[in-house]
Amino acid sequence: MTEATIRANETTVPVMPCVSVEETLEFYRALGFEVTFQQTRPYLYLALEWSGFALHFGTPPKNTDPGQEEVGGCLILVDDVAPYHAEFSRALRAAYGKVPAKGRPRITRFRPGASRFTMVDPSGNSVIFIQRDEPAGLEYGGSKELTGLARALDNARILSEFKNDDRAALRVLTTALRRHGPTAPPVDTARTLTTLIELATALDETESVDGWRQRLNALDLTDAERGPAGMP
């Protein structure tokens, strides 16, 4: 009899908290997930599948607050994140008439060249899709090769996309716009204002959005500059 060996064919399946069965099933079904197992008694357990991966859900801890968005999470590594974002956006638009960008559930905006995006489900779980060849090194505070608003934008990108801390990213850009805005290139100002509008909308802190939008529309940009700036 030969000794058993470990082979590299493991499969991991995250089990995340589910605060509401109805809302969870509605959201993931809208995305195109198949429900492969569902029970609420004697305990809650859901199993859902999409393409080649599975997400499972169980009973949340007592006093779980979905609004904190800290209850659970999952990383999904893929070859290219753009097609996933496009497919989920299409499915959400078909189900809800729009792609939700604030509250729960929602999906973060995907910019050309980005290496990840996040879906936040009704229970506050973050499902993060990450490109396998994503750069390993991050310069918190922004790349030292950049200055002014460009460096602040790089820092905000890291805070938002890699730490899921939109509020910190909003603070960084608000301060940077006040400090560097008067002397910054118009395209950097446009990118900053666009990102501020997106972050504030996601956080439902929109008191400054109208002013930022007016300032954005007043910028003198060429058509070529409006594309890189990510203007709507």
Side-chain angles (χ1 to χ4, degrees):
M1 182 176 180
T2 60
E3 184 177 353
T5 60
I6 297 175
R7 301 182 184 278
N9 62 352
E10 301 88 354
T11 298
T12 61
V13 179
V15 180
M16 296 181 288
C18 173
V19 174
S20 168
V21 173
E22 293 77 11
E23 291 180 358
T24 296
L25 292 178
E26 178 187 5
F27 174 63
Y28 283 101
R29 278 174 169 152
L31 289 169
F33 279 75
E34 177 186 0
V35 180
T36 57
F37 184 80
Q38 176 181 347
Q39 75 171 34
T40 56
R41 294 182 180 180
Y43 57 87
L44 168 63
Y45 204 90
L46 305 175
L48 301 95
E49 293 185 3
W50 193 93
S51 186
F53 67 91
L55 301 176
H56 290 195
F57 298 86
T59 303
K62 291 182 178 179
N63 301 319
T64 295
D65 180 4
Q68 296 298 315
E69 299 185 2
E70 296 175 348
V71 293
C74 170
L75 306 181
I76 301 174
L77 303 182
V78 299
D79 292 332
D80 184 4
V81 295
Y84 290 82
H85 191 278
E87 176 58 25
F88 291 141
S89 296
R90 183 204 61 76
L92 290 171
R93 190 176 290 108
Y96 301 122
K98 63 178 181 179
V99 180
K102 64 179 181 179
R104 298 181 315 279
R106 70 176 185 275
I107 183 172
T108 59
R109 185 180 179 190
F110 181 79
R111 293 179 176 276
S115 60
R116 60 173 61 194
F117 69 89
T118 301
M119 292 192 309
V120 180
D121 75 8
S123 294
N125 298 302
S126 292
V127 181
I128 307 173
F129 288 78
I130 303 176
Q131 200 155 295
R132 285 193 175 91
D133 62 354
E134 180 181 78
L138 295 175
E139 293 186 68
Y140 287 99
S143 171
K144 295 180 177 58
E145 296 180 357
L146 302 172
T147 59
L149 285 183
R151 183 169 180 177
L153 281 161
D154 191 50
N155 186 25
R157 174 185 64 86
I158 293 169
L159 291 169
S160 181
E161 295 182 7
F162 290 82
K163 294 192 68 177
N164 285 331
D165 195 341
D166 285 350
R167 186 159 279 103
L170 185 71
R171 289 196 300 266
V172 163
L173 290 183
T174 301
T175 300
L177 184 64
R178 186 167 54 247
R179 180 180 302 170
H180 302 293
T183 58
V187 69
D188 285 350
T189 302
R191 290 177 57 209
T192 301
L193 291 167
T194 301
T195 305
L196 281 169
I197 292 169
E198 292 172 2
L199 291 169
T201 300
L203 291 166
D204 202 19
E205 298 179 3
T206 57
E207 60 273 6
S208 298
V209 165
D210 286 344
W212 289 332
R213 187 171 285 115
Q214 290 175 7
R215 186 170 173 182
L216 177 62
N217 292 334
L219 289 172
D220 185 14
L221 298 172
T222 65
D223 289 342
E225 288 173 333
R226 287 180 179 273
M231 291 182 64

